[in-house]
């Protein structure tokens, strides 16, 4: 008897990653394809359908989960906005994929997918209450409460990177000013240093004093933002993912020290600050997990 499988898809501005997963999280086949440019909804849909046929040539999968770079509605049907993708406003992507594939489909924010993945198979698997930050081009977030993803009453909750750190800081695409994203994202690092995070990580590894000093400053800024989140959510753990997390060991001490300076011990008792474990596959893994949950509800 063939065991059922689902498809998890992570839609990004430059690449679309997808895989075929069994219920225990085993990925049997994966594929990465270029995101069409311009990445209009219709163009992305066409590429996704073709890619699905490649990873599931016998049409055996039973559901699809999709992570998109922006909030989905609370029902997991509509991609409300996809940051950095043109014309993505209230796109009924689940309906479109179901019409093309005949498979039940659920949509979620890509950072939420990463959080679900880490809760399922990664750094968050031992915690029932944790938050995840994805430090990438922007700063995404996910909130896991009592083992479940929290998205707010309309689906757009958990935008942790958009909290205010400095009311007079740089303008954010969200309309906020001085958001955590303006201090912790890859774009912010480029603006502040003129260098890429990987370059700064390599310099720090070689003992470069300027790079090491930058990562200390970065850690303090990150810790400042995390302090507000800790006071509100008192999580058991904070999982840090995204491309910048490759330099976790350089900014972790300063972030931890800033949290300890700003947050009362009663609000951070036992708190763990951890690097994510699933890397670039987290988005599609989490989308697959949501697909399994979609199947169970049907």
């Amino acid at each position: 008897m063939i065991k059922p499988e689902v498809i998890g898809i992570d839609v990004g501005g430059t690449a679309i990653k997808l895989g075929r997963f069994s219920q225990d999280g085993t990925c049997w086949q994966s594929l990465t394809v270029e995101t069409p440019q311009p990445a209009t909804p219709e163009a992305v849909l066409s590429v996704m359908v073709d890619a699905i046929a490649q990873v599931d040539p016998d049409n055996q999968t039973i559901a699809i989960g999709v992570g998109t770079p922006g909030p989905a509605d609370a029902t997991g049907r509509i991609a409300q906005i996809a940051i950095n993708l043109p014309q993505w406003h209230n796109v009924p992507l689940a309906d479109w994929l179901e019409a093309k594939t005949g498979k039940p489909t659920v949509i979620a924010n890509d950072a939420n997918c990463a959080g679900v993945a880490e809760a399922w198979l990664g750094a968050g698997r031992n915690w029932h209450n944790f938050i995840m930050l994805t430090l990438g081009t922007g700063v995404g977030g996910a909130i896991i409460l009592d083992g479940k993803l929290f998205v707010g009453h309309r689906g757009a909750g958990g935008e942790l990177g958009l909290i205010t750190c400095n009311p007079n800081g740089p303008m954010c695409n969200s309309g906020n000013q001085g958001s955590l994203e303006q201090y912790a994202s890859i774009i912010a690092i480029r603006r502040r240093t003129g260098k890429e995070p990987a370059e700064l990580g390599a310099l720090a590894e070689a003992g470069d004093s300027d790079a090491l000093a930058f990562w200390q400053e970065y850690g303090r800024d990150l810790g400042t933002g995390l302090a507000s989140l800790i006071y509100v959510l008192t999580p058991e753990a904070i999982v840090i993912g995204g491309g910048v997390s490759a330099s976790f060991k350089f900014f972790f001490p300063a972030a931890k020290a800033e949290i300890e300076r700003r947050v009362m011990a009663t609000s951070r008792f036992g708190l763990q600050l951890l690097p994510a474990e699933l890397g670039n596959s987290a988005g599609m893994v989490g989308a697959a997990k949501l697909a399994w949950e979609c199947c169970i509800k049907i």
Side-chain angles (χ1 to χ4, degrees):
M1 180 179 176
I2 298 175
K3 292 184 178 180
E5 297 171 355
V6 301
I7 291 175
I9 305 175
D10 181 15
V11 178
T14 58
I16 299 171
K17 296 184 285 289
L18 66 163
R20 196 177 77 243
F21 293 84
S22 56
Q23 199 160 9
D24 65 358
T26 300
C27 182
W28 295 104
Q29 186 176 350
S30 64
L31 177 67
T32 299
V33 296
E34 291 185 1
T35 304
Q37 303 300 331
T40 61
E42 294 81 5
V44 170
L45 174 69
S46 178
V47 169
M48 288 170 63
V49 170
D50 288 344
I52 288 167
Q54 292 182 60
V55 298
D56 183 22
D58 298 323
N59 196 28
Q60 296 296 311
T61 55
I62 60 174
I64 299 170
V66 185
T68 62
D73 72 322
T75 65
R77 307 293 303 168
I78 296 171
Q80 295 178 314
I81 300 170
I83 300 165
N84 300 322
L85 301 184
Q87 301 177 31
W88 282 71
H89 299 284
N90 295 319
V91 176
L93 189 58
D95 290 344
W96 288 2
L97 278 170
E98 287 180 356
K100 292 286 187 180
T101 67
K103 304 177 193 298
T105 301
V106 61
I107 310 298
N109 172 278
D110 55 0
N112 283 341
C113 287
V116 168
E118 293 291 340
W120 184 24
L121 301 173
R125 62 188 178 277
N126 296 320
W127 315 101
H128 284 94
N129 296 280
F130 75 91
I131 60 178
M132 180 173 183
L133 253 64
T134 55
L135 307 176
T137 304
V139 174
I143 301 171
I144 305 294
L145 297 178
D146 295 325
K148 297 179 181 179
L149 177 66
F150 173 80
V151 296
H153 76 288
R154 297 192 66 186
E159 292 288 355
L160 306 183
L162 302 184
I163 65 167
T164 302
C165 287
N166 177 3
N168 299 312
M171 289 300 300
C172 179
N173 287 338
S174 66
N176 194 7
Q177 188 172 356
S179 65
L180 177 58
E181 183 168 286
Q182 295 308 304
Y183 295 90
S185 67
I186 290 173
I187 289 176
I189 291 172
R190 290 172 183 158
R191 185 187 70 240
R192 296 170 71 177
T193 69
K195 294 180 171 64
E196 295 295 320
E199 182 183 359
L200 288 162
L203 288 168
E205 193 72 56
D208 182 86
S209 59
D210 289 340
L212 290 167
F214 166 75
W215 286 120
Q216 282 194 314
E217 182 181 359
Y218 179 91
R220 288 194 295 270
D221 291 339
L222 180 62
T224 299
L226 290 174
S228 296
L229 300 174
I230 293 165
Y231 272 126
V232 173
L233 296 166
T234 59
E236 298 170 274
I238 299 172
V239 177
I240 304 294
V244 182
S245 67
S247 292
F248 181 85
K249 68 179 181 180
F250 299 119
F251 62 76
F252 165 75
K256 183 174 182 290
E258 196 66 19
I259 289 169
E260 291 175 349
R261 187 175 79 84
R262 290 177 178 271
V263 180
M264 293 189 300
T266 50
S267 294
R268 56 176 169 82
F269 180 77
L271 176 67
Q272 302 291 308
L273 191 59
L274 306 167
E277 295 181 2
L278 299 178
N280 288 332
S281 67
M284 68 175 182
V285 171
K289 177 62 171 175
L290 293 176
W292 280 115
E293 293 176 359
C294 172
C295 293
I296 292 169
K297 291 176 184 177
I298 293 173

